[in-house]
Amino acid sequence: MAAAQGRFSDGADGVDSAKETSVPLPFRRAVGGLQKARLRPGIEIEATKPPRKLAPYAYALEAAVVEGEEDLADGRLILLHDPAGHEAWHGTFRLVTLVRAELEPEMAADPLLPEVCWSWLTGALEARAPGYGEASGTVTMASSHSFGGLSARRPATQIEIRASWTPREGVGGVPDTGAHLSAWCELLCQVAGLEPLPPADPAVVSLPQRRGPHHP
């Protein structure tokens, strides 16, 4: 994946907007925070088309933890914004994610793995983006076993984390989205089997920029 700058969704007819004046300033700044975030090596990330109907404004990223030619984990992070506020969110912004990875047999056999995976998310948020709220989600494990002509394949188990939370809004009603992206990337890496980095680790690198956040 290569770094890219994504799209704004106007939420009305699903048509992406190229006009800066049609996008609220807090949302533009929140997207800018994502684009300027510092990410650890081994994560490939790019913008992707956001969903059309979840909120009036949306911005989406997809990422993978890569080792050599292998994707160890992948996922999608979506920033939602409703200027009028949303009762269930308790705010005007919401972050939604899907994270997936194939597990080693030893990990898949752990009955506490779903609780552990959820703690990776909340722990990363508490370390890097304190003040989040209204977190909810599911952790799902799916196993596959092959038979007959495919019996030589070893059993495989995939973990899937679906979650959402409300970022705390700061000055001007803008959340620190870069901190939340950093926390999300740590979740990706832990699901991939990598050790977590300290929040201020010097190995972290910046996401390359190509153009401003208001030009899809």
Side-chain angles (χ1 to χ4, degrees):
M1 299 180 184
Q5 299 309 320
R7 305 173 175 88
F8 296 106
S9 171
D10 66 8
D13 56 10
V15 177
D16 297 332
S17 173
K19 297 181 179 179
E20 180 179 357
T21 56
S22 69
V23 181
L25 179 60
F27 182 66
R28 297 203 309 271
R29 289 178 173 173
V31 171
L34 291 174
Q35 295 172 337
K36 296 174 183 177
R38 295 171 61 81
L39 308 178
R40 63 186 284 179
I43 297 176
E44 295 187 357
I45 189 166
E46 66 180 6
T48 187
K49 189 170 184 177
R52 299 178 177 181
K53 299 180 180 180
L54 295 181
Y57 301 93
Y59 181 87
L61 293 167
E62 57 183 17
V65 180
V66 180
E67 187 176 82
E69 298 296 323
E70 182 181 4
D71 287 2
L72 303 180
D74 62 73
R76 196 178 195 214
L77 182 68
I78 304 169
L79 174 68
L80 304 176
H81 178 54
D82 186 341
H86 195 291
E87 183 178 356
W89 299 355
H90 291 189
T92 63
F93 285 90
R94 188 75 171 172
L95 285 159
V96 181
T97 187
L98 165 66
V99 172
R100 298 171 298 192
E102 187 171 323
L103 301 176
E104 294 296 327
E106 297 78 10
M107 290 185 65
D110 187 346
L112 297 179
L113 185 62
E115 288 83 358
V116 170
C117 288
W118 186 254
S119 73
W120 287 342
L121 170 63
T122 57
L125 288 171
E126 289 164 5
R128 288 173 164 75
Y132 74 95
E134 308 304 320
S136 61
T138 61
V139 179
T140 304
M141 294 174 59
S143 298
S144 63
H145 299 262
S146 301
F147 301 93
L150 301 177
S151 59
R153 294 183 180 178
R154 68 173 188 171
T157 301
Q158 186 180 73
I159 192 82
E160 180 181 276
I161 303 171
R162 294 179 180 268
S164 64
W165 64 93
T166 298
R168 181 174 60 187
E169 297 172 16
V171 177
V174 182
D176 185 354
T177 50
H180 287 269
L181 178 57
S182 175
W184 180 71
C185 286
E186 278 306 310
L187 170 65
L188 265 179
C189 290
Q190 287 190 276
V191 171
L194 304 183
E195 292 293 328
L197 291 179
D201 194 285
V204 174
V205 298
S206 296
L207 178 66
Q209 296 295 294
R210 292 185 177 179
R211 56 181 183 233
H214 55 276
H215 299 293

